[in-house]
């Protein structure tokens, strides 16, 4: 069977152009497909080759200039927002109900918006995909203000649900922007922050922990409002390591 269609809707997403070649042989369904112009952005190209049946998958897919923003609905709300393009080649095994994806990809001029901290980072580099994880093996990070860092980590998931992250950011050479938040009566803290050092972010859903070993740099103005929580509550999220020396 050969078919060519335009302006399709799949899982609520628009596909501008779709070619499909399908035939059945020896109990297997063989497929060759190409999808172009995805979603509202009308960009990206996905090619799928291989065989499948109800019990098993044996597919190879290549992705070119696919908008990373398509991943946002899979990520926990109020965490991060992704943009940019993704390229890669991946194998899809397992079953239709529980696919297992492995392969390698590249992030090209991607951005990560961290609304809680008011920051945006530009990311480039390679990543690996395992059936239950996405491995970030050294991504270059730029804050758009001449600050840079190096990012490594692992993002675990269960069939692209129940996300659990463990990511480390290392900024040794130039200060990177860590915070740019306006005043709000509900915030435990606000202000601007630039620093060098190490940051580790880990956890799941709304249980995200941030651990940092940092030295602040010029341009930092960090505020802990006295009227948001009592001083006894501060100990649950703030530890003063060294007091100011008297002159």
């Amino acid at each position: 069977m050969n078919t060519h269609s335009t302006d399709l809707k799949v899982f609520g997403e628009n596909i501008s152009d779709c070619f499909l070649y399908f035939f059945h042989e020896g109990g297997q369904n063989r497929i060759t497909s190409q999808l172009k112009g995805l979603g509202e952005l009308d960009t990206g190209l996905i090619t799928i080759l291989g065989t499948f049946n109800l019990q098993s998958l044996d597919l190879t897919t290549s992705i070119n200039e696919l908008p990373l923003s398509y991943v946002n609905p899979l990520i926990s709300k109020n965490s991060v927002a992704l943009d940019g393009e993704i390229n890669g080649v991946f194998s899809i095994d397992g079953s239709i109900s529980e696919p297992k994806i492995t392969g390698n990809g590249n992030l090209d001029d991607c951005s990560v918006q961290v609304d809680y901290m008011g920051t945006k980072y530009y990311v480039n580099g390679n990543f690996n995909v395992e059936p239950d994880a996405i491995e970030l093996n050294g991504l270059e990070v730029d804050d758009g203000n001449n600050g840079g860092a190096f990012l490594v980590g692992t993002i675990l998931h269960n069939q692209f649900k129940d996300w659990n992250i463990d990511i480390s950011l290392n900024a040794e050479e130039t200060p990177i922007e860590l915070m740019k938040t306006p005043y709000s009566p509900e915030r435990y803290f606000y202000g601007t922050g630039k620093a060098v050092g190490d940051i580790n972010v880990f956890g799941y859903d709304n249980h995200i922990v941030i651990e940092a070993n940092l030295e602040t740099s010029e341009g930092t103005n960090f505020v802990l409002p006295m009227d948001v929580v009592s001083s006894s509550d501060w100990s649950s999220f703030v530890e003063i390591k060294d007091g100011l020396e008297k002159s």
Side-chain angles (χ1 to χ4, degrees), residues 222-237:
F222 180 71
V223 181
L224 286 170
M226 297 290 291
D227 57 349
V228 175
V229 294
S230 66
S231 58
S232 61
D233 291 331
W234 279 9
S235 61
S236 66
F237 62 93

Side-chain angles (χ1 to χ4, degrees), residues 4-224:
H4 177 254
S5 303
T6 58
D7 296 324
L8 296 177
K9 284 284 186 179
V10 178
F11 300 118
E13 292 289 345
N14 183 66
I15 301 175
S16 296
D17 190 271
C18 175
F19 163 78
L20 174 65
Y21 173 61
F22 174 86
F23 72 95
H24 182 81
E25 181 182 37
Q28 290 285 348
N29 302 304
R30 186 169 296 277
I31 185 174
T32 299
S33 181
Q34 189 175 80
L35 313 176
K36 296 176 64 177
L38 309 177
E40 294 181 358
L41 299 177
D42 195 26
T43 60
L45 170 65
I46 299 177
T47 301
I48 302 172
L49 305 170
T51 61
F52 72 95
N53 56 38
L54 294 178
Q55 288 74 40
S56 66
L57 301 172
D58 185 9
L59 303 172
T60 298
T61 181
S62 65
I63 296 175
N64 296 278
E65 299 181 352
L66 182 70
L68 193 59
S69 57
Y70 293 153
V71 180
N72 288 330
L74 303 175
I75 301 175
S76 299
K77 293 182 179 180
N78 303 319
S79 55
V80 298
L82 307 178
D83 201 2
E85 294 179 347
I86 183 174
N87 300 278
V89 177
F90 307 95
S91 297
I92 306 176
D93 303 305
S95 63
I96 293 178
S97 60
E98 294 186 357
K100 299 183 184 299
I101 302 175
T102 58
N104 302 289
N106 173 265
L107 300 176
D108 185 18
D109 291 329
C110 294
S111 66
V112 181
Q113 179 80 40
V114 186
D115 288 334
Y116 184 70
M117 301 302 289
T119 53
K120 185 175 184 178
Y121 303 102
Y122 301 89
V123 182
N124 289 277
N126 300 319
F127 64 92
N128 300 324
V129 174
E130 298 295 337
D132 60 353
I134 300 172
E135 300 173 346
L136 310 175
N137 294 326
L139 304 180
E140 296 180 355
V141 180
D142 188 297
D143 65 4
N145 294 301
N146 300 316
F150 195 67
L151 186 146
V152 297
T154 301
I155 305 172
L156 302 174
H157 63 84
N158 179 17
Q159 292 299 316
F160 298 96
K161 298 181 292 185
D162 304 325
W163 294 85
N164 192 315
I165 67 172
D166 187 358
I167 297 174
S168 295
L169 184 74
N170 181 272
E172 291 184 348
E173 297 182 0
T174 58
I176 191 168
E177 187 172 60
L178 302 176
M179 182 177 70
K180 191 176 181 180
T181 57
Y183 167 76
S184 169
E186 290 81 25
R187 281 191 176 274
Y188 285 172
F189 60 86
Y190 65 90
T192 58
K194 293 185 177 183
V196 293
D198 301 305
I199 301 173
N200 183 237
V201 181
F202 59 93
Y204 58 94
D205 294 334
N206 294 323
H207 304 279
I208 300 297
V209 177
I210 302 175
E211 293 182 346
N213 181 18
L214 300 168
E215 180 179 342
T216 58
S217 305
E218 183 179 355
T220 297
N221 182 24
F222 180 71
V223 181
L224 286 170

